Structure formats: structure tokens, C-alpha cells
Amino acid sequence: MPLDRFSRDIHYLRISLTDRCNLRCVYCMPEDMKFRPRAELVQDDELLTLVRLCTELGFHKFRLTGGEPTVRANVVELVHSLAQTPGVRSLSMTTNGLLLKKLARPLAEAGLQRVNVSIDTLDPVKFKRLTRWGDVQDVWEGIVESEAAGLLPIKLNAVIVRGYNEDDVVDLAALTLYHNWQMRFIEMMPFGDVADFQQSQVVRAQEMRDKIEAALGPLTPVEGGKLDGEARLYRLSDALGDVGFISSVTEPFCASCTRARLTADGKLRMCLLREYEMDLLTPLRAGASPDDLKALVLKAVYHKPWGHGLAHNVVPMNRVMSEIGG
Ligand code: SAM
């Protein structure tokens, strides 16, 4: 099992299947985002090789993300192959849900276990303003289809942006009164060219909690306020589901981080908010042996940064969120 130099057990790999996306969310990337040529991205056989090496080192939890993972060609076949890989115990996906109406069942049949779906507001006009291109009805139908396909538990993600959707936390949290879903609110994080906007429009988790409680009553911590992954969970009275807060900016959870990220161009990134990366694709294409590649993974794990530097105004400039995968 790979340990970093702070004795954290790093066993969770989030894989960006593509840097492309069918939305242009204001908090994620510029509207005129330029994407890498496909030949520079990790191909299916290369991805399966890297995942196999990682499982042999002790990684067992995998999440597919992007860009938008469902726009990758052959995504169902790729999920099937990943699910069959020995050592892959957990396989989930973070998606904007636009294509789930069509893909939820085939993905579930291929071996995908769960989905997290991004939905920042239920209001169609605000949704279009935030995502620039999207129709919230498509996302809603994708969520319903994912639930029917057994991709459970359903977790929903909303990034809250001042001036766009800070009041929508109430309607979104109210979903948990009638659905056994986990509705998670994310503090916006700053990256690259979009950092100024992200830092000026960030909404703190405490403000979100206050708004929800003022409208819907007290939020009671679930299991004494323990972290579930990256989310701190609460429950409204008589609710079927939970409300979570991912407060990476104001209440970082770096001490319990178990993650590494593989970017779509084959770099192992050891902290979302730090620029340090280890290139795996170039050596793989140059013929590096499995042992050499494993040594690079272990070296990257060892050098995993302790945590982000937002408190000291250190912002990663080398990539925006869509290029890393969240
Ligand atoms: N396209 C997929 C989606 O929309 O879920 C997967 C990729 S997206 C980069 C992964 C997650 O990161 C989404 O929940 C998205 O809302 C979140 N995200 C994007 N930009 C962010 C930012 N600046 N701060 C915090 N979360 C962000």
C-alpha cells in the first residue's frame, strides 16, 4: 500500500478521461477553452496499463472524471475493462449528467458502481448562466435514470458562486427532504486564469449552512460531524437524504487526503491545488518497464504535498479545474 512521507495511505485515483467538456461552467474554465490534440491524451490501452500498475501498488478506489467523462469515445467499453481489472474494488464517476439519460444503464451494466452528478441550481435560467450551455432538464432526467439504474447512492454536487446561485442552496438542500440523495455544496477553488473571479465570488460553507438553516430548520451533524470522503454531512429534520459541505477553502481536509489524480494527458497530480506532477505517459510511450513506472508512481506518492496553500495565497497556475478533473 503506497504511503506518502506523512504516512497517509494513498489508494484513491481520480482519472480524467478527457479534458473536453460539453459545458463551459463559469467557475471551471474560460468559454474559449483550447483543448489538447487527442494524440496527447492517454489512450485506452495506456490507461488500462497505468491502472493495472496502480492496483498492483495498492490503489483500489477509482473515480472517472474530466472534462466530462461521458464524452470520451468508448466510455462504456472502457468502464467495462476497468471494472474487470483485478484490484479495482470501487469504480465511480463524476459527471455533469447531461448524457446519463442515455448512458446510465449501459454504464451500470458495464460495472460502474456510483455517480456524482453536478447540478448547481434547479432554475433553468440560472443553470444556463452558470454552465453557459446547459439545460437543467437533461441533468434532472439523467439523475432519475441513474437512480433507476442502481448507481447508488446518488450524490449531487453544487459549486456555489456569489451572484449566480448562492440563494439556490435552499431549494437544492430541500431535495433531501424527499429523496435519499446526498446533496453536497462545494466552496469554489481558484485555478489559473479563472482564479481572480473564483476568489472574489467564493461563498463560504458557513454562509451556505446559515441560509439553509434559516429557511429549512436545523442541520444536525451526521455521526458527530465526521467527514464522508471530502464532505462533512448534516441532515435536516425528517429528511431522507443528507446535506454535505466540501469546504476545501475554509476547512481543508488535507490531513485525511488519500487521493492522487491522473490528468487526461497522463500526469500524476498529487494535490488538486499544487502544481507538482509526475509525467507517466511520456515514459510509458518511451518503453519504460512496469517496474520503472511503478517507481515513478511511488516517488510521486512520496512527494505528495502536505496540503494546499490557499491561506498563503498560493494558487496553482499551470492548469484550470477542467484539465485536472476535480
Ligand atoms: N464534468 C464533470 C462534472 O461536471 O462533474 C466532471 C469534471 S468537474 C471538473 C468535477 C467537479 O469539479 C464538479 O463537481 C464541478 O462542479 C467541480 N468544480 C469545477 N470547478 C470548480 C472550482 N473552481 N471549485 C470547486 N469545484 C469545482
Side-chain angles (χ1 to χ4, degrees):
M1 130 181 112
L3 292 182
D4 74 0
R5 66 205 144 120
F6 307 106
S7 298
R8 291 175 296 190
D9 167 10
I10 311 305
H11 57 257
Y12 179 11
L13 186 65
R14 297 165 78 108
I15 301 169
S16 174
L17 289 187
T18 172
D19 58 346
R20 289 169 170 72
C21 191
N22 43 3
L23 293 180
R24 293 288 182 278
C25 301
V26 291
Y27 50 77
C28 192
M29 63 171 118
E31 188 163 16
D32 60 351
M33 183 77 191
K34 301 279 179 295
F35 299 106
R36 285 167 212 275
R38 284 181 209 277
E40 286 181 18
L41 305 184
V42 181
Q43 307 297 304
D44 291 4
D45 57 331
E46 294 167 333
L47 182 62
L48 292 170
T49 299
L50 293 175
V51 166
R52 204 166 43 246
L53 294 176
C54 286
T55 58
E56 286 168 11
L57 287 170
F59 283 84
H60 52 82
K61 184 172 172 184
F62 295 85
R63 172 171 296 277
L64 307 177
T65 173
E68 171 50 39
T70 58
V71 303
R72 170 137 177 170
N74 300 333
V75 66
V76 174
E77 291 76 7
L78 193 55
V79 163
H80 180 77
S81 302
L82 289 166
Q84 301 297 315
T85 303
V88 174
R89 288 193 232 150
S90 167
L91 184 62
S92 57
M93 179 181 279
T94 299
T95 166
N96 62 31
L98 286 180
L99 299 179
L100 281 180
K101 189 176 173 192
K102 186 177 70 159
L103 284 176
R105 274 175 205 274
L107 285 170
E109 282 162 15
L112 190 73
Q113 295 164 1
R114 285 180 303 284
V115 281
N116 290 10
V117 183
S118 299
I119 183 162
D120 302 319
T121 170
L122 302 176
D123 177 324
V125 175
K126 289 190 193 171
F127 189 84
K128 177 79 82 191
R129 186 168 170 243
L130 264 162
T131 62
R132 294 192 180 110
W133 294 1
D135 182 343
V136 71
Q137 183 62 25
D138 292 332
V139 181
W140 186 261
E141 289 173 15
I143 294 168
V144 170
E145 191 59 26
S146 301
E147 191 170 36
L151 292 168
L152 305 174
I154 296 284
K155 296 186 183 180
L156 306 179
N157 290 338
V159 178
I160 304 304
V161 187
R162 191 169 308 287
Y164 285 79
N165 64 342
E166 71 265 45
D167 293 330
D168 299 58
V169 293
V170 173
D171 287 349
L172 289 167
L175 291 175
T176 66
L177 295 171
Y178 311 105
H179 300 276
N180 184 10
W181 297 343
Q182 199 185 97
M183 182 67 235
R184 297 132 43 103
F185 297 102
I186 304 177
E187 283 179 345
M188 184 164 49
M189 291 174 274
F191 296 88
D193 291 347
V194 205
D196 287 347
F197 168 78
Q198 289 158 328
Q199 284 183 306
S200 62
Q201 306 308 111
V202 68
V203 180
R204 295 168 153 252
Q206 184 59 52
E207 182 180 331
M208 304 178 202
R209 273 196 289 269
D210 291 346
K211 270 191 204 299
I212 294 169
E213 291 198 308
L216 301 173
L219 282 165
T220 308
V222 173
E223 289 184 40
K226 251 187 22 200
L227 278 173
D228 174 69
E230 61 273 58
R232 221 171 277 284
L233 296 187
Y234 296 80
R235 193 165 268 234
L236 290 164
S237 128
D238 296 328
L240 298 180
D242 293 331
V243 173
F245 297 91
I246 302 180
S247 23
S248 323
V249 179
T250 59
E251 300 164 280
F253 38 87
C254 308
S256 59
C257 184
T258 57
R259 301 174 186 78
R261 293 173 168 83
L262 185 67
T263 63
D265 59 337
K267 312 276 193 310
L268 204 54
R269 185 167 172 117
M270 299 310 302
C271 171
L272 187 57
L273 287 153
R274 295 278 186 185
E275 292 182 359
Y276 171 69
E277 293 176 352
M278 175 70 74
D279 185 3
L280 297 181
L281 186 58
T282 307
L284 174 66
R285 288 186 177 174
S289 71
D291 282 348
D292 290 342
L293 289 163
K294 283 186 193 171
L296 291 177
V297 174
L298 290 176
K299 186 172 171 195
V301 166
Y302 183 79
H303 289 289
K304 179 175 167 70
W306 165 251
H308 68 63
L310 295 183
H312 306 289
N313 215 20
V314 179
V315 170
M317 296 306 291
N318 58 346
R319 291 180 190 267
V320 292
M321 185 68 142
S322 63
E323 297 176 286
I324 311 169

